[in-house]
Amino acid sequence: MPARVVLAMSGGVDSSVAAHLLRERGYDVVGLFMRTGVHAEDDSRAANKKGCCSAVDAGDARRVADRLDIPFYALDFADDFGRIMDYFADEYLAGRTPNPCVVCNTWLKFGKLWSYGQQLGADFIATGHYVRAAQQDGEHRLLRALDPAKDQSYVLFGLSRELLPHLLFPLGNYHKDEVRAIGRSVGLGTVADKPDSVEICFVPDNDHARFIRRHRPELATAGNIIDRHGTILAPHDGIENFTIGQRKGLGFGSASRRYVLEIIPETHDVVIGDREELLATSLRAERVNWLIDLPTDALKCQAKIRYRHTPAAATVIALPDGAAQVEFAEPQSAITPGQAVVFYEGDRVLGGGWIETASSEPEA
């Protein structure tokens, strides 16, 4: 009997081509679409955006499954997805900048997907992510994708190490243009040229503050924009409008470029200053997930502090409380609480955690 694979299908070209490649390699593929319910109120507006998980996407996924002659199921994850929307709103209101894609991958796309796959007797689960899973030197490893422009390893650092032997990523060795060409060659129709998902799926208009105000209408976070000396420069209508490093949209004029340095949720103050003040040499990460044995000594590696960040040379010290101290060889700009820091050794993902604080002071 061929090995069975449960594949997350979003209706986009990546997961659709992944389904084709898995079938070509002889796997028994079962397609799964995750209904989140997030477009139930305003699906017509969302359909014009580059999101995912809408009714349109579900229809596209089903048509691809029919064309490839694979079983297809749409499951209701609306209740589970509500946790992700709560997390998103609560992080902003705590003065942090969340990363819901990491959380969704950890909780749903791989947590719930594997649970469902086991019920179906699956040997593997798969997605259309651009990343590689490989066995090297007797270890199962998570590796960067061959295409650096599409690599998504950053958002997958939270995967369970025990899950690595059961993961398949058919697109890890392909470039995006190759994937679209395959989609056209096997007759996927308009799906082959469907735009990539670029917005957060439950914020299809990319208006984070609007979503948060609707999701937490009882909370008001208006306050003041201040400088490092506490001087009030202007009022603002909510801390959810700001993130560390932001320059545009501050809501007032200035003779020089100013950047958000800090968000203080207790007072609703937003602290701004010069670009140089964004630099930090270290950070503390909480809830670190390791994809290697827990380091007992200082670990030399490269650390990535946001999705589009170029990994920087760093030394990581694992702490006994599940946290880690990260010291950078060179100062890094706009290290943002709430975002993830991910550790690499070459192409290999070593682990990562959630940024709690950043500092320019040397660790005592």
Side-chain angles (χ1 to χ4, degrees):
M1 293 291 291
R4 175 166 289 180
V5 181
V6 169
L7 168 69
M9 297 185 69
S10 66
V13 62
D14 293 331
S15 59
S16 299
V17 170
H20 163 74
L21 293 173
L22 290 168
R23 277 192 79 248
E24 289 291 294
R25 295 170 190 173
Y27 289 103
D28 173 17
V29 183
V30 178
L32 172 65
F33 183 87
M34 297 183 177
R35 293 191 183 277
T36 62
V38 298
H39 292 314
E41 295 180 12
D42 205 3
D43 199 60
S44 62
R45 179 171 59 89
N48 295 320
K49 298 291 182 177
K50 300 175 184 177
C52 62
C53 307
S54 71
V56 172
D57 297 314
D60 287 341
R62 184 176 295 279
R63 281 187 288 274
V64 169
D66 289 344
R67 180 171 184 80
L68 298 177
D69 193 27
I70 63 176
F72 178 82
Y73 301 93
L75 299 185
D76 183 6
F77 286 122
D79 290 342
D80 297 288
F81 205 75
R83 292 176 58 202
I84 296 174
M85 292 188 285
D86 288 342
Y87 148 81
F88 181 83
D90 292 343
E91 284 288 274
Y92 265 111
L93 295 174
R96 299 157 60 90
T97 302
N99 196 318
C101 293
V102 173
V103 174
C104 182
N105 285 320
T106 303
W107 290 355
L108 292 187
K109 288 184 180 175
F110 292 91
K112 292 287 184 178
L113 188 64
W114 179 234
S115 176
Y116 180 75
Q118 288 177 303
Q119 295 177 41
L120 293 179
D123 304 285
F124 300 98
I125 58 175
T127 69
H129 283 97
Y130 286 82
V131 68
R132 292 177 292 159
Q135 188 171 6
Q136 299 176 348
D137 301 325
E139 289 184 300
H140 290 275
R141 301 182 177 189
L142 188 68
L143 307 174
R144 296 180 195 270
L146 186 67
D147 183 353
K150 293 299 295 181
D151 174 58
Q152 294 174 294
S153 59
Y154 173 86
V155 299
L156 298 180
F157 82 86
L159 298 182
S160 165
R161 190 181 182 188
E162 289 71 30
L163 192 57
L164 294 183
H166 303 284
L167 299 179
L168 296 175
F169 297 108
L171 306 188
N173 289 313
Y174 290 88
H175 284 71
K176 182 71 180 203
D177 56 353
E178 296 177 300
V179 170
R180 291 200 184 277
I182 293 171
R184 297 184 195 106
S185 71
V186 299
L188 295 184
T190 57
V191 168
D193 294 299
K194 193 173 181 180
D196 289 339
S197 300
V198 293
E199 286 96 4
I200 296 170
C201 62
F202 54 85
V203 193
D205 60 359
N206 215 25
D207 189 340
H208 300 170
R210 176 177 178 269
F211 169 83
I212 292 165
R213 287 192 291 267
R214 292 176 63 185
H215 201 69
R216 292 283 188 266
E218 73 281 7
L219 298 179
T221 62
N224 293 309
I225 297 175
I226 64 174
D227 63 18
R228 281 293 193 197
H229 303 292
T231 303
I232 296 176
L233 304 175
H236 68 76
D237 61 2
I239 59 173
E240 62 273 14
N241 292 291
F242 302 94
T243 187
I244 303 300
Q246 178 178 333
R247 179 174 68 87
K248 297 181 179 180
L250 298 183
F252 75 103
S254 174
S256 61
R257 292 186 175 182
R258 297 294 190 92
Y259 299 80
V260 175
L261 306 178
E262 185 181 1
I263 300 168
I264 306 174
E266 294 82 6
T267 60
H268 301 164
D269 287 330
V270 175
V271 183
I272 67 169
D274 297 331
R275 184 173 184 175
E276 292 73 19
E277 295 178 89
L278 284 171
L279 295 175
T281 55
S282 67
L283 66 84
R284 179 185 172 92
E286 304 283 351
R287 307 187 306 282
V288 176
N289 180 63
W290 290 104
L291 297 177
I292 60 172
D293 293 338
L294 182 69
T296 56
D297 298 316
L299 175 67
K300 299 286 187 180
C301 65
Q302 300 85 45
K304 188 172 182 175
I305 57 172
R306 52 186 163 269
Y307 186 72
R308 294 298 182 189
H309 177 246
T310 300
T315 300
V316 180
I317 299 174
L319 303 176
D321 58 355
Q325 182 69 25
V326 182
E327 302 286 339
F328 292 97
E330 299 290 340
Q332 302 299 305
S333 182
I335 298 176
T336 305
Q339 288 289 288
V341 57
V342 181
F343 314 130
Y344 293 86
E345 182 181 59
D347 282 343
R348 185 182 186 183
V349 182
L350 306 177
W354 296 97
I355 298 171
E356 187 69 20
T357 57
S359 176
S360 299
E361 301 298 325
E363 181 71 4

